[in-house]
Amino acid sequence: MSNIIITGSSRGIGAAIAKEWCYRNKENLYYPISRWSDFDITNFKKFKEFIKNFDNFNKEDEKYYPIALVNNAGIAKQGSIFETSIESINKQFNVNFNAIVNTTKEYTKFCINKKIEGKIINIASTAGLGARPGRAIYAATKAALINFSLSMSEELKPYSIKIYIICPGAVNTDMRHELEPDDDFKNMLQAHEVGKFICNLIESDNFLNGQILEVKK
């Protein structure tokens, strides 16, 4: 039995990870942080309280501790810089970057306190590795996440907490349909393929830590 936290678990890659994780072992659990569970990832105080609840677990309930945090929640807005409002910029950074800084901080404090060699999977994007005209702010949030994750992987080495930076290319998800409705969805990377890849990372004892892992066809 192993348990993980998944943000943005209601659809797309997050839902695929949840499905794959539970499929692998019927006793596996995941803690959903999503609109479906009425848990806004930008409610920083609520996430802190959620993590603090594990302090109330007794010895026999330690099996319910999360061994990994999957930071998957994200949003993207299409449009040139001239069409992008300050509100849109702030919202994208709040969901795609600020919230992940918060979840990472709270989860790592939990791992250090409980002496857990946890894993953090930060799902960025290949958009964070290069130019994305029409989605410049989204690309900037993912670039920020990538560099934050690289720095955190070094900071957390003394505690044996690993950071994985996943940069998927185009994936057949609801978000992709909204952004690029004319894409060839049949022949692109599917959400369940990314879900399997991420579950493999969580389950395996590998030597990866801090690398940028591109996942694409």
Side-chain angles (χ1 to χ4, degrees):
M1 177 185 187
S2 297
N3 312 297
I4 61 177
I5 301 168
I6 307 174
T7 72
S9 58
S10 62
R11 65 177 194 165
I13 293 173
I17 297 167
K19 183 176 181 180
E20 176 67 21
W21 187 250
C22 294
Y23 172 78
R24 293 188 176 204
N25 186 327
K26 65 180 181 179
E27 293 187 349
N28 281 354
L29 299 174
Y30 73 95
Y31 298 102
I33 311 295
S34 69
R35 290 174 293 181
W36 174 74
S37 58
D38 195 29
F39 198 148
D40 184 350
I41 191 64
T42 61
N43 187 334
F44 301 162
K45 182 179 179 181
K46 185 172 182 178
F47 187 84
K48 182 176 183 177
E49 292 170 349
F50 162 73
I51 291 293
K52 194 168 181 59
N53 282 334
F54 291 111
D55 291 338
N56 300 321
F57 285 20
N58 53 37
K59 191 70 175 177
E60 54 266 31
D61 288 334
E62 289 181 1
K63 61 184 178 181
Y64 295 109
Y65 284 169
I67 63 167
L69 165 66
V70 183
N71 282 313
N72 166 75
I75 59 173
K77 300 295 181 182
Q78 193 85 284
S80 75
I81 192 65
F82 306 109
E83 302 167 319
T84 305
S85 66
I86 292 298
E87 290 75 20
S88 177
I89 294 170
N90 289 340
K91 185 173 183 180
Q92 289 181 77
F93 266 98
N94 212 27
V95 174
N96 297 353
F97 182 68
N98 297 343
I100 293 177
V101 172
N102 181 63
T103 57
T104 299
K105 181 178 75 171
E106 297 303 331
Y107 179 69
T108 53
K109 286 194 297 185
F110 159 76
C111 288
I112 293 167
N113 184 40
K114 301 298 182 182
K115 295 181 171 57
I116 295 172
E117 296 182 358
K119 295 180 178 180
I120 301 172
I121 294 85
N122 288 337
I123 300 182
S125 169
T126 52
L129 301 173
R132 286 297 185 277
R135 289 200 294 275
I137 303 306
Y138 173 75
T141 66
K142 294 302 184 178
L145 175 57
I146 290 168
N147 280 278
F148 167 74
S149 302
L150 290 171
S151 298
M152 286 304 300
S153 71
E154 294 298 319
E155 281 192 32
L156 297 175
K157 277 183 179 178
Y159 307 103
S160 298
I161 299 171
K162 291 185 175 182
I163 301 268
Y164 300 91
I165 310 157
I166 313 300
C167 289
V171 183
N172 184 5
T173 62
D174 292 341
M175 180 185 291
R176 188 72 188 184
H177 278 266
E178 293 163 4
L179 295 172
E180 302 288 351
D182 297 324
D183 267 353
D184 181 5
F185 294 100
K186 182 178 179 181
N187 293 310
M188 71 171 53
L189 193 65
Q190 303 299 307
H192 72 268
E193 294 174 308
V194 182
K196 288 181 179 180
F197 178 80
I198 289 170
C199 288
N200 287 341
L201 281 177
I202 296 172
E203 287 188 330
S204 64
D205 291 323
N206 55 62
F207 297 102
L208 298 174
N209 183 25
Q211 288 89 352
I212 299 170
L213 305 175
E214 293 188 51
V215 184
K216 58 185 181 180
K217 280 191 174 180

Short mmCIF file of all heavy atoms in Angstrom, two decimals, residues 129-194:
data_model
loop_
_atom_site.label_atom_id
_atom_site.label_comp_id
_atom_site.label_asym_id
_atom_site.label_seq_id
_atom_site.Cartn_x
_atom_site.Cartn_y
_atom_site.Cartn_z
N LEU A 129 10.78 25.40 -22.03
CA LEU A 129 12.14 25.23 -22.55
C LEU A 129 12.42 26.07 -23.79
O LEU A 129 13.54 26.06 -24.31
CB LEU A 129 12.38 23.74 -22.88
CG LEU A 129 12.22 22.77 -21.71
CD1 LEU A 129 12.31 21.33 -22.22
CD2 LEU A 129 13.29 23.02 -20.65
N GLY A 130 11.40 26.76 -24.29
CA GLY A 130 11.59 27.54 -25.50
C GLY A 130 10.45 28.51 -25.73
O GLY A 130 9.56 28.67 -24.90
N ALA A 131 10.49 29.16 -26.89
CA ALA A 131 9.49 30.19 -27.21
C ALA A 131 8.13 29.57 -27.49
O ALA A 131 8.02 28.52 -28.12
CB ALA A 131 9.95 30.98 -28.43
N ARG A 132 7.09 30.24 -27.02
CA ARG A 132 5.71 29.85 -27.29
C ARG A 132 4.90 31.11 -27.63
O ARG A 132 4.20 31.64 -26.78
CB ARG A 132 5.09 29.12 -26.10
CG ARG A 132 5.57 27.70 -25.90
CD ARG A 132 5.23 26.79 -27.06
NE ARG A 132 5.58 25.41 -26.78
CZ ARG A 132 6.79 24.88 -26.94
NH1 ARG A 132 7.78 25.66 -27.38
NH2 ARG A 132 7.04 23.62 -26.67
N PRO A 133 5.00 31.60 -28.86
CA PRO A 133 4.20 32.78 -29.24
C PRO A 133 2.72 32.51 -29.04
O PRO A 133 2.20 31.45 -29.40
CB PRO A 133 4.53 32.94 -30.74
CG PRO A 133 5.84 32.23 -30.93
CD PRO A 133 5.82 31.08 -29.96
N GLY A 134 2.04 33.47 -28.43
CA GLY A 134 0.62 33.30 -28.16
C GLY A 134 0.34 32.68 -26.80
O GLY A 134 -0.79 32.73 -26.32
N ARG A 135 1.39 32.11 -26.19
CA ARG A 135 1.26 31.56 -24.83
C ARG A 135 2.50 31.92 -24.01
O ARG A 135 3.03 31.10 -23.27
CB ARG A 135 1.06 30.03 -24.87
CG ARG A 135 -0.28 29.59 -25.40
CD ARG A 135 -0.63 28.17 -24.99
NE ARG A 135 0.24 27.16 -25.58
CZ ARG A 135 0.08 26.62 -26.79
NH1 ARG A 135 -0.94 27.01 -27.54
NH2 ARG A 135 0.90 25.70 -27.25
N ALA A 136 2.93 33.16 -24.16
CA ALA A 136 4.17 33.60 -23.52
C ALA A 136 4.12 33.52 -22.00
O ALA A 136 5.10 33.13 -21.36
CB ALA A 136 4.51 35.02 -23.96
N ILE A 137 2.98 33.87 -21.41
CA ILE A 137 2.89 33.86 -19.95
C ILE A 137 2.89 32.42 -19.43
O ILE A 137 3.58 32.12 -18.44
CB ILE A 137 1.62 34.60 -19.48
CG1 ILE A 137 1.60 36.04 -20.02
CG2 ILE A 137 1.53 34.60 -17.95
CD1 ILE A 137 2.85 36.85 -19.70
N TYR A 138 2.15 31.56 -20.09
CA TYR A 138 2.17 30.14 -19.71
C TYR A 138 3.59 29.59 -19.77
O TYR A 138 4.05 28.91 -18.84
CB TYR A 138 1.24 29.35 -20.63
CG TYR A 138 1.29 27.86 -20.44
CD1 TYR A 138 0.69 27.26 -19.34
CD2 TYR A 138 1.96 27.03 -21.35
CE1 TYR A 138 0.74 25.89 -19.15
CE2 TYR A 138 2.02 25.67 -21.18
CZ TYR A 138 1.41 25.10 -20.07
OH TYR A 138 1.46 23.74 -19.89
N ALA A 139 4.29 29.89 -20.87
CA ALA A 139 5.67 29.42 -21.02
C ALA A 139 6.56 29.96 -19.91
O ALA A 139 7.42 29.25 -19.38
CB ALA A 139 6.20 29.83 -22.39
N ALA A 140 6.34 31.23 -19.54
CA ALA A 140 7.14 31.84 -18.48
C ALA A 140 6.89 31.16 -17.13
O ALA A 140 7.83 30.97 -16.34
CB ALA A 140 6.81 33.33 -18.37
N THR A 141 5.65 30.79 -16.86
CA THR A 141 5.36 30.10 -15.59
C THR A 141 6.05 28.75 -15.53
O THR A 141 6.54 28.34 -14.48
CB THR A 141 3.84 29.90 -15.37
OG1 THR A 141 3.31 28.99 -16.36
CG2 THR A 141 3.09 31.23 -15.44
N LYS A 142 6.09 28.06 -16.66
CA LYS A 142 6.72 26.75 -16.70
C LYS A 142 8.24 26.86 -16.63
O LYS A 142 8.91 26.01 -16.03
CB LYS A 142 6.28 25.98 -17.95
CG LYS A 142 4.80 25.63 -17.96
CD LYS A 142 4.40 24.79 -16.75
CE LYS A 142 2.94 24.35 -16.80
NZ LYS A 142 2.56 23.49 -15.65
N ALA A 143 8.80 27.90 -17.24
CA ALA A 143 10.23 28.14 -17.12
C ALA A 143 10.61 28.42 -15.66
O ALA A 143 11.63 27.93 -15.16
CB ALA A 143 10.64 29.30 -18.02
N ALA A 144 9.77 29.20 -14.99
CA ALA A 144 10.00 29.49 -13.58
C ALA A 144 9.94 28.20 -12.75
O ALA A 144 10.77 27.99 -11.85
CB ALA A 144 8.97 30.49 -13.07
N LEU A 145 8.97 27.35 -13.06
CA LEU A 145 8.83 26.09 -12.33
C LEU A 145 10.04 25.19 -12.53
O LEU A 145 10.54 24.56 -11.59
CB LEU A 145 7.56 25.37 -12.79
CG LEU A 145 7.32 23.98 -12.21
CD1 LEU A 145 7.29 24.01 -10.69
CD2 LEU A 145 6.02 23.39 -12.76
N ILE A 146 10.54 25.14 -13.76
CA ILE A 146 11.71 24.31 -14.05
C ILE A 146 12.91 24.76 -13.23
O ILE A 146 13.59 23.95 -12.58
CB ILE A 146 12.02 24.34 -15.56
CG1 ILE A 146 10.95 23.58 -16.34
CG2 ILE A 146 13.41 23.73 -15.84
CD1 ILE A 146 11.00 23.80 -17.85
N ASN A 147 13.17 26.06 -13.21
CA ASN A 147 14.34 26.56 -12.49
C ASN A 147 14.16 26.46 -10.98
O ASN A 147 15.13 26.19 -10.25
CB ASN A 147 14.64 27.99 -12.93
CG ASN A 147 15.37 28.04 -14.25
OD1 ASN A 147 16.58 27.87 -14.29
ND2 ASN A 147 14.65 28.23 -15.33
N PHE A 148 12.96 26.66 -10.51
CA PHE A 148 12.67 26.46 -9.09
C PHE A 148 12.96 25.00 -8.70
O PHE A 148 13.59 24.73 -7.67
CB PHE A 148 11.21 26.80 -8.80
CG PHE A 148 10.72 26.34 -7.45
CD1 PHE A 148 11.11 26.99 -6.29
CD2 PHE A 148 9.84 25.26 -7.35
CE1 PHE A 148 10.66 26.56 -5.05
CE2 PHE A 148 9.39 24.83 -6.12
CZ PHE A 148 9.79 25.48 -4.96
N SER A 149 12.50 24.07 -9.53
CA SER A 149 12.69 22.64 -9.25
C SER A 149 14.16 22.25 -9.25
O SER A 149 14.60 21.46 -8.40
CB SER A 149 11.93 21.81 -10.29
OG SER A 149 10.56 22.12 -10.30
N LEU A 150 14.92 22.79 -10.18
CA LEU A 150 16.37 22.50 -10.22
C LEU A 150 17.05 22.98 -8.93
O LEU A 150 17.89 22.27 -8.36
CB LEU A 150 16.99 23.19 -11.43
CG LEU A 150 16.62 22.63 -12.81
CD1 LEU A 150 17.13 23.55 -13.92
CD2 LEU A 150 17.17 21.23 -13.00
N SER A 151 16.68 24.15 -8.47
CA SER A 151 17.26 24.68 -7.24
C SER A 151 16.83 23.87 -6.02
O SER A 151 17.65 23.56 -5.14
CB SER A 151 16.85 26.15 -7.04
OG SER A 151 17.34 26.96 -8.10
N MET A 152 15.55 23.49 -5.98
CA MET A 152 15.05 22.71 -4.85
C MET A 152 15.69 21.33 -4.78
O MET A 152 15.91 20.80 -3.69
CB MET A 152 13.53 22.58 -4.95
CG MET A 152 12.76 23.85 -4.60
SD MET A 152 13.16 24.49 -2.95
CE MET A 152 12.68 23.11 -1.92
N SER A 153 15.99 20.74 -5.93
CA SER A 153 16.62 19.41 -5.92
C SER A 153 17.96 19.45 -5.21
O SER A 153 18.36 18.49 -4.54
CB SER A 153 16.77 18.88 -7.35
OG SER A 153 17.77 19.59 -8.06
N GLU A 154 18.68 20.59 -5.34
CA GLU A 154 19.95 20.74 -4.65
C GLU A 154 19.73 21.01 -3.16
O GLU A 154 20.42 20.46 -2.31
CB GLU A 154 20.75 21.89 -5.28
CG GLU A 154 21.20 21.63 -6.70
CD GLU A 154 22.13 20.44 -6.81
OE1 GLU A 154 23.02 20.28 -5.93
OE2 GLU A 154 21.98 19.66 -7.77
N GLU A 155 18.75 21.86 -2.85
CA GLU A 155 18.47 22.20 -1.45
C GLU A 155 18.04 20.97 -0.64
O GLU A 155 18.34 20.86 0.55
CB GLU A 155 17.35 23.24 -1.37
CG GLU A 155 17.80 24.66 -1.65
CD GLU A 155 16.73 25.68 -1.27
OE1 GLU A 155 15.98 25.43 -0.30
OE2 GLU A 155 16.65 26.71 -1.94
N LEU A 156 17.33 20.05 -1.29
CA LEU A 156 16.73 18.94 -0.57
C LEU A 156 17.59 17.68 -0.55
O LEU A 156 17.21 16.68 0.06
CB LEU A 156 15.35 18.62 -1.17
CG LEU A 156 14.33 19.76 -1.05
CD1 LEU A 156 13.05 19.41 -1.79
CD2 LEU A 156 14.03 20.07 0.41
N LYS A 157 18.73 17.70 -1.20
CA LYS A 157 19.60 16.52 -1.22
C LYS A 157 19.99 16.03 0.17
O LYS A 157 20.01 14.82 0.42
CB LYS A 157 20.86 16.81 -2.05
CG LYS A 157 20.66 16.63 -3.54
CD LYS A 157 21.96 16.87 -4.31
CE LYS A 157 21.75 16.65 -5.79
NZ LYS A 157 22.99 16.91 -6.57
N PRO A 158 20.27 16.93 1.13
CA PRO A 158 20.64 16.45 2.47
C PRO A 158 19.52 15.65 3.15
O PRO A 158 19.79 14.89 4.09
CB PRO A 158 20.93 17.75 3.24
CG PRO A 158 21.29 18.75 2.20
CD PRO A 158 20.43 18.40 1.03
N TYR A 159 18.29 15.80 2.68
CA TYR A 159 17.15 15.11 3.29
C TYR A 159 16.69 13.92 2.45
O TYR A 159 15.68 13.29 2.78
CB TYR A 159 15.99 16.09 3.47
CG TYR A 159 16.37 17.34 4.21
CD1 TYR A 159 16.59 18.55 3.54
CD2 TYR A 159 16.55 17.32 5.59
CE1 TYR A 159 16.95 19.70 4.22
CE2 TYR A 159 16.92 18.47 6.29
CZ TYR A 159 17.12 19.65 5.59
OH TYR A 159 17.49 20.79 6.27
N SER A 160 17.42 13.63 1.38
CA SER A 160 17.09 12.50 0.49
C SER A 160 15.68 12.62 -0.11
O SER A 160 15.00 11.62 -0.33
CB SER A 160 17.22 11.16 1.24
OG SER A 160 18.56 10.96 1.66
N ILE A 161 15.26 13.85 -0.34
CA ILE A 161 14.00 14.11 -1.02
C ILE A 161 14.32 14.42 -2.48
O ILE A 161 15.11 15.31 -2.76
CB ILE A 161 13.23 15.28 -0.38
CG1 ILE A 161 12.90 14.96 1.08
CG2 ILE A 161 11.96 15.59 -1.16
CD1 ILE A 161 12.33 16.13 1.86
N LYS A 162 13.70 13.67 -3.37
CA LYS A 162 14.02 13.82 -4.79
C LYS A 162 12.98 14.65 -5.53
O LYS A 162 11.79 14.59 -5.23
CB LYS A 162 14.12 12.45 -5.46
CG LYS A 162 15.32 11.63 -5.01
CD LYS A 162 15.44 10.34 -5.79
CE LYS A 162 16.71 9.58 -5.43
NZ LYS A 162 16.85 8.34 -6.23
N ILE A 163 13.47 15.41 -6.51
CA ILE A 163 12.60 16.22 -7.36
C ILE A 163 12.72 15.72 -8.79
O ILE A 163 13.82 15.55 -9.31
CB ILE A 163 13.02 17.71 -7.33
CG1 ILE A 163 12.95 18.26 -5.92
CG2 ILE A 163 12.17 18.51 -8.29
CD1 ILE A 163 11.67 18.90 -5.51
N TYR A 164 11.58 15.47 -9.41
CA TYR A 164 11.53 15.09 -10.82
C TYR A 164 10.83 16.20 -11.60
O TYR A 164 9.74 16.63 -11.22
CB TYR A 164 10.77 13.78 -11.02
CG TYR A 164 11.36 12.60 -10.28
CD1 TYR A 164 10.94 12.29 -8.98
CD2 TYR A 164 12.33 11.80 -10.87
CE1 TYR A 164 11.48 11.21 -8.30
CE2 TYR A 164 12.87 10.72 -10.19
CZ TYR A 164 12.44 10.43 -8.91
OH TYR A 164 12.97 9.37 -8.23
N ILE A 165 11.45 16.65 -12.66
CA ILE A 165 10.88 17.72 -13.48
C ILE A 165 10.42 17.11 -14.80
O ILE A 165 11.24 16.71 -15.63
CB ILE A 165 11.92 18.82 -13.75
CG1 ILE A 165 12.57 19.27 -12.43
CG2 ILE A 165 11.27 20.01 -14.47
CD1 ILE A 165 13.92 19.90 -12.60
N ILE A 166 9.12 17.00 -14.97
CA ILE A 166 8.56 16.38 -16.16
C ILE A 166 8.11 17.46 -17.14
O ILE A 166 7.34 18.35 -16.78
CB ILE A 166 7.34 15.49 -15.80
CG1 ILE A 166 7.68 14.58 -14.61
CG2 ILE A 166 6.91 14.67 -17.01
CD1 ILE A 166 8.83 13.64 -14.84
N CYS A 167 8.60 17.38 -18.36
CA CYS A 167 8.23 18.34 -19.40
C CYS A 167 7.56 17.61 -20.55
O CYS A 167 8.23 17.19 -21.51
CB CYS A 167 9.46 19.09 -19.90
SG CYS A 167 10.15 20.25 -18.71
N PRO A 168 6.24 17.42 -20.46
CA PRO A 168 5.55 16.77 -21.57
C PRO A 168 5.48 17.69 -22.79
O PRO A 168 5.41 18.92 -22.65
CB PRO A 168 4.14 16.51 -21.00
CG PRO A 168 4.24 16.74 -19.53
CD PRO A 168 5.34 17.75 -19.36
N GLY A 169 5.47 17.07 -23.96
CA GLY A 169 5.16 17.81 -25.17
C GLY A 169 3.65 17.89 -25.30
O GLY A 169 2.93 17.89 -24.31
N ALA A 170 3.15 17.94 -26.52
CA ALA A 170 1.70 17.98 -26.74
C ALA A 170 1.06 16.68 -26.25
O ALA A 170 1.49 15.58 -26.62
CB ALA A 170 1.40 18.19 -28.21
N VAL A 171 0.04 16.80 -25.41
CA VAL A 171 -0.66 15.64 -24.84
C VAL A 171 -2.15 15.80 -25.11
O VAL A 171 -2.71 16.89 -25.00
CB VAL A 171 -0.41 15.51 -23.32
CG1 VAL A 171 -1.09 14.25 -22.77
CG2 VAL A 171 1.08 15.50 -23.01
N ASN A 172 -2.79 14.69 -25.43
CA ASN A 172 -4.23 14.68 -25.69
C ASN A 172 -5.00 14.84 -24.37
O ASN A 172 -5.31 13.87 -23.68
CB ASN A 172 -4.64 13.39 -26.39
CG ASN A 172 -6.12 13.36 -26.76
OD1 ASN A 172 -6.83 14.34 -26.58
ND2 ASN A 172 -6.57 12.24 -27.29
N THR A 173 -5.28 16.09 -24.02
CA THR A 173 -6.03 16.40 -22.81
C THR A 173 -7.10 17.44 -23.13
O THR A 173 -7.08 18.06 -24.20
CB THR A 173 -5.11 16.98 -21.71
OG1 THR A 173 -4.54 18.21 -22.19
CG2 THR A 173 -3.99 16.01 -21.35
N ASP A 174 -7.99 17.65 -22.20
CA ASP A 174 -9.02 18.68 -22.38
C ASP A 174 -8.39 20.06 -22.61
O ASP A 174 -8.85 20.84 -23.44
CB ASP A 174 -9.94 18.74 -21.15
CG ASP A 174 -10.81 17.51 -21.01
OD1 ASP A 174 -10.98 16.80 -22.01
OD2 ASP A 174 -11.32 17.27 -19.90
N MET A 175 -7.32 20.34 -21.87
CA MET A 175 -6.65 21.64 -22.03
C MET A 175 -6.13 21.80 -23.45
O MET A 175 -6.25 22.88 -24.05
CB MET A 175 -5.51 21.79 -21.02
CG MET A 175 -4.78 23.13 -21.14
SD MET A 175 -3.33 23.27 -20.07
CE MET A 175 -4.11 23.36 -18.46
N ARG A 176 -5.52 20.75 -23.98
CA ARG A 176 -4.98 20.83 -25.34
C ARG A 176 -6.09 21.04 -26.36
O ARG A 176 -5.93 21.79 -27.33
CB ARG A 176 -4.20 19.55 -25.67
CG ARG A 176 -3.43 19.62 -26.99
CD ARG A 176 -2.23 20.53 -26.88
NE ARG A 176 -1.60 20.76 -28.17
CZ ARG A 176 -0.49 21.45 -28.36
NH1 ARG A 176 0.11 22.00 -27.32
NH2 ARG A 176 0.02 21.63 -29.56
N HIS A 177 -7.23 20.39 -26.14
CA HIS A 177 -8.37 20.56 -27.04
C HIS A 177 -8.86 22.01 -27.02
O HIS A 177 -9.27 22.55 -28.05
CB HIS A 177 -9.51 19.62 -26.63
CG HIS A 177 -9.35 18.22 -27.14
ND1 HIS A 177 -9.93 17.78 -28.31
CD2 HIS A 177 -8.66 17.17 -26.64
CE1 HIS A 177 -9.63 16.51 -28.51
NE2 HIS A 177 -8.85 16.11 -27.50
N GLU A 178 -8.81 22.62 -25.84
CA GLU A 178 -9.26 24.01 -25.71
C GLU A 178 -8.29 24.97 -26.40
O GLU A 178 -8.71 25.95 -27.01
CB GLU A 178 -9.38 24.37 -24.23
CG GLU A 178 -10.49 23.59 -23.51
CD GLU A 178 -10.35 23.64 -21.99
OE1 GLU A 178 -9.42 24.32 -21.50
OE2 GLU A 178 -11.15 22.98 -21.29
N LEU A 179 -6.99 24.67 -26.31
CA LEU A 179 -5.98 25.57 -26.87
C LEU A 179 -5.77 25.37 -28.37
O LEU A 179 -5.60 26.34 -29.12
CB LEU A 179 -4.64 25.37 -26.14
CG LEU A 179 -4.59 25.75 -24.66
CD1 LEU A 179 -3.26 25.31 -24.06
CD2 LEU A 179 -4.77 27.24 -24.48
N GLU A 180 -5.75 24.11 -28.79
CA GLU A 180 -5.45 23.77 -30.19
C GLU A 180 -6.47 22.76 -30.70
O GLU A 180 -6.16 21.59 -30.89
CB GLU A 180 -4.03 23.20 -30.29
CG GLU A 180 -2.93 24.11 -29.79
CD GLU A 180 -2.67 25.30 -30.73
OE1 GLU A 180 -3.23 25.32 -31.84
OE2 GLU A 180 -1.91 26.20 -30.33
N PRO A 181 -7.69 23.19 -30.96
CA PRO A 181 -8.76 22.25 -31.33
C PRO A 181 -8.53 21.51 -32.66
O PRO A 181 -9.16 20.48 -32.89
CB PRO A 181 -10.00 23.15 -31.42
CG PRO A 181 -9.48 24.53 -31.61
CD PRO A 181 -8.19 24.58 -30.87
N ASP A 182 -7.62 21.99 -33.49
CA ASP A 182 -7.38 21.36 -34.79
C ASP A 182 -6.17 20.43 -34.79
O ASP A 182 -5.76 19.95 -35.85
CB ASP A 182 -7.19 22.44 -35.87
CG ASP A 182 -8.43 23.29 -36.05
OD1 ASP A 182 -9.54 22.75 -35.95
OD2 ASP A 182 -8.29 24.51 -36.31
N ASP A 183 -5.61 20.15 -33.62
CA ASP A 183 -4.45 19.25 -33.53
C ASP A 183 -4.81 17.83 -33.94
O ASP A 183 -5.99 17.43 -33.92
CB ASP A 183 -3.91 19.22 -32.10
CG ASP A 183 -2.79 20.23 -31.90
OD1 ASP A 183 -2.34 20.84 -32.88
OD2 ASP A 183 -2.36 20.39 -30.74
N ASP A 184 -3.78 17.04 -34.25
CA ASP A 184 -3.96 15.62 -34.56
C ASP A 184 -3.87 14.84 -33.24
O ASP A 184 -2.82 14.33 -32.86
CB ASP A 184 -2.86 15.15 -35.52
CG ASP A 184 -3.01 13.68 -35.90
OD1 ASP A 184 -4.01 13.05 -35.50
OD2 ASP A 184 -2.10 13.17 -36.59
N PHE A 185 -4.98 14.76 -32.53
CA PHE A 185 -4.98 14.18 -31.19
C PHE A 185 -4.76 12.67 -31.19
O PHE A 185 -4.22 12.13 -30.22
CB PHE A 185 -6.29 14.52 -30.48
CG PHE A 185 -6.45 15.99 -30.20
CD1 PHE A 185 -7.22 16.80 -31.01
CD2 PHE A 185 -5.78 16.57 -29.13
CE1 PHE A 185 -7.34 18.15 -30.76
CE2 PHE A 185 -5.90 17.93 -28.87
CZ PHE A 185 -6.68 18.73 -29.69
N LYS A 186 -5.12 12.03 -32.25
CA LYS A 186 -4.98 10.58 -32.32
C LYS A 186 -3.52 10.15 -32.30
O LYS A 186 -3.16 9.12 -31.71
CB LYS A 186 -5.66 10.05 -33.58
CG LYS A 186 -5.62 8.53 -33.71
CD LYS A 186 -6.34 8.07 -34.96
CE LYS A 186 -6.28 6.56 -35.11
NZ LYS A 186 -6.97 6.09 -36.35
N ASN A 187 -2.67 10.94 -32.93
CA ASN A 187 -1.27 10.55 -33.08
C ASN A 187 -0.32 11.27 -32.13
O ASN A 187 0.90 11.19 -32.29
CB ASN A 187 -0.82 10.80 -34.53
CG ASN A 187 -1.52 9.89 -35.51
OD1 ASN A 187 -1.58 8.67 -35.31
ND2 ASN A 187 -2.09 10.45 -36.56
N MET A 188 -0.83 11.97 -31.15
CA MET A 188 0.03 12.61 -30.17
C MET A 188 0.10 11.79 -28.89
O MET A 188 -0.59 10.77 -28.73
CB MET A 188 -0.42 14.04 -29.89
CG MET A 188 -1.70 14.18 -29.09
SD MET A 188 -2.06 15.90 -28.56
CE MET A 188 -1.98 16.80 -30.11
N LEU A 189 0.94 12.22 -27.98
CA LEU A 189 1.08 11.55 -26.69
C LEU A 189 -0.26 11.56 -25.96
O LEU A 189 -0.97 12.56 -25.93
CB LEU A 189 2.13 12.30 -25.86
CG LEU A 189 2.67 11.63 -24.60
CD1 LEU A 189 3.43 10.36 -24.95
CD2 LEU A 189 3.58 12.60 -23.86
N GLN A 190 -0.61 10.40 -25.38
CA GLN A 190 -1.87 10.27 -24.65
C GLN A 190 -1.65 10.42 -23.15
O GLN A 190 -0.58 10.08 -22.62
CB GLN A 190 -2.52 8.92 -24.95
CG GLN A 190 -2.78 8.67 -26.43
CD GLN A 190 -3.73 9.69 -27.05
OE1 GLN A 190 -4.83 9.91 -26.54
NE2 GLN A 190 -3.31 10.31 -28.15
N ALA A 191 -2.66 10.91 -22.47
CA ALA A 191 -2.54 11.17 -21.03
C ALA A 191 -2.17 9.91 -20.25
O ALA A 191 -1.37 9.96 -19.30
CB ALA A 191 -3.83 11.78 -20.49
N HIS A 192 -2.74 8.78 -20.64
CA HIS A 192 -2.46 7.54 -19.88
C HIS A 192 -0.99 7.12 -20.03
O HIS A 192 -0.43 6.47 -19.13
CB HIS A 192 -3.39 6.41 -20.32
CG HIS A 192 -3.11 5.84 -21.66
ND1 HIS A 192 -3.71 6.31 -22.81
CD2 HIS A 192 -2.28 4.83 -22.06
CE1 HIS A 192 -3.28 5.62 -23.85
NE2 HIS A 192 -2.40 4.73 -23.42
N GLU A 193 -0.35 7.49 -21.14
CA GLU A 193 1.06 7.17 -21.31
C GLU A 193 1.92 7.99 -20.36
O GLU A 193 2.89 7.48 -19.78
CB GLU A 193 1.48 7.44 -22.77
CG GLU A 193 0.80 6.52 -23.77
CD GLU A 193 1.10 6.89 -25.22
OE1 GLU A 193 0.93 8.06 -25.59
OE2 GLU A 193 1.53 5.97 -25.97
N VAL A 194 1.57 9.24 -20.18
CA VAL A 194 2.28 10.08 -19.22
C VAL A 194 2.02 9.57 -17.80
O VAL A 194 2.93 9.53 -16.97
CB VAL A 194 1.85 11.55 -19.34
CG1 VAL A 194 2.65 12.42 -18.37
CG2 VAL A 194 2.03 12.06 -20.77
#
